[in-house]
Amino acid sequence: MNRSPAAAAPASYGRLLARLEAGMAGPGLPDWLWQVVTVLHDGQDAAAAGHWAARLHGELARLGGRVPFSVVHDWHARTVAPVLAEASVRRGRPREPQDAVRDLHLRALAGEPVTAAEWEAVLLPALREAYRLAYAYADAFAQAYAGAHAYAVAHDYGAERAAEFAGEYAGLNTGANAASFAEGNALANAGATAAAWAAADARAYAEVWPFAHVQVYALAWAGRERAAAGEEGGDAQRERLRSVCRRLADGLVGGLARVAS
């Protein structure tokens, strides 16, 4: 089993592991599921996480620990893609890339073959949008602005010109960095994810680190740039993250519930 998620939060992972595996028979749960479950459990408040873990355990026990790959398609089609589409629309970005991914998941759920090339063609723009939305733009802008402003002041630009210079520099620098971050991560993840989904290969899917993808989904929806810009406090930001983790978690259990025993 890949231990990266466990290393990130050993105590909560251990509690969840003990609870889910107690009395459960079967061949063992797929590693991609452990990765996703760990992030979603840790992303909720204690009360919600406990209730969710009980529901999750119930569905996994019902299935005897046998989780088909169709759950991946169900979860992305009915929960992940709509969450990312909402995030895009809320910030004036196109929702079509996420809708295209959803449509392929629905095809796969219906038993239609979807090639790796088809998956990659829709994943590239969808992941590019998701990573762009997850980028901490305001934090990066503030850092770039502060550095440029300090430089301008040190070189006697004057107050007005220093502010103008810092704003222009921060905008260009942060925009380029955000675009590079989104493009690089999309290119790094699209091909391997596409191959895993096309082959319905649970092991290959685990090897593309789905726990990191879940973190991107949550951050993209939560809208990090607003809280970082000071328009909302840290408590509001944390509640948005908990809220979207609850939604993603509920969607995962819903996908398991739709699997016939």
Side-chain angles (χ1 to χ4, degrees):
M1 177 181 291
N2 189 313
R3 306 306 297 180
S4 295
S12 59
Y13 185 88
R15 289 194 299 270
L16 181 63
L17 180 66
R19 184 168 192 174
L20 295 183
E21 289 196 340
M24 190 182 298
L29 300 175
D31 188 46
W32 73 261
L33 184 66
W34 279 125
Q35 293 188 39
V36 170
V37 161
T38 301
V39 175
L40 294 179
H41 176 267
D42 292 350
Q44 302 177 71
D45 61 79
H51 177 67
W52 176 72
R55 292 170 54 213
L56 177 67
H57 181 273
E59 291 300 332
L60 293 174
R62 179 180 66 84
L63 296 172
R66 291 180 290 274
V67 179
F69 200 82
S70 63
V71 173
V72 174
H73 297 306
D74 185 292
W75 184 53
H76 279 83
R78 294 188 166 98
T79 306
V80 174
V83 161
L84 292 176
E86 286 180 17
S88 294
V89 170
R90 192 169 67 243
R91 275 169 280 168
R93 308 286 293 181
R95 66 172 292 146
E96 287 78 11
Q98 311 305 337
D99 289 342
V101 174
R102 177 204 61 199
D103 291 345
L104 287 194
H105 281 297
L106 289 173
R107 275 180 52 188
L109 268 177
E112 298 180 32
V114 181
T115 67
E118 288 178 290
W119 279 119
E120 188 169 6
V122 300
L123 273 171
L124 271 172
L127 288 175
R128 190 181 296 122
E129 282 297 312
Y131 277 101
R132 176 62 186 85
L133 294 173
Y135 188 76
Y137 187 92
D139 285 341
F141 184 95
Q143 291 175 8
Y145 184 97
H149 191 266
Y151 172 89
V153 169
H155 289 77
D156 299 322
Y157 277 40
E160 184 175 347
R161 187 178 171 214
E164 181 180 355
F165 170 79
E168 291 178 355
Y169 173 84
L172 291 171
N173 179 270
T174 310
N177 286 342
S180 177
F181 172 83
E183 186 67 24
N185 278 287
L187 288 171
N189 287 280
T193 303
W197 287 356
D201 187 330
R203 184 180 297 274
Y205 182 43
E207 292 174 354
V208 302
W209 310 115
F211 76 92
H213 299 178
V214 177
Q215 293 168 337
V216 171
Y217 306 153
L219 290 169
W221 190 90
R224 297 167 74 193
E225 76 282 358
R226 290 201 301 273
E231 296 178 19
E232 296 179 357
D235 288 344
Q237 171 71 1
R238 284 189 289 274
E239 180 49 41
R240 282 201 304 277
L241 284 169
R242 286 193 291 263
S243 175
V244 71
C245 282
R246 286 194 297 270
R247 182 171 173 186
L248 291 168
D250 286 343
L252 181 63
V253 171
L256 289 166
R258 284 183 282 274
V259 177
S261 298

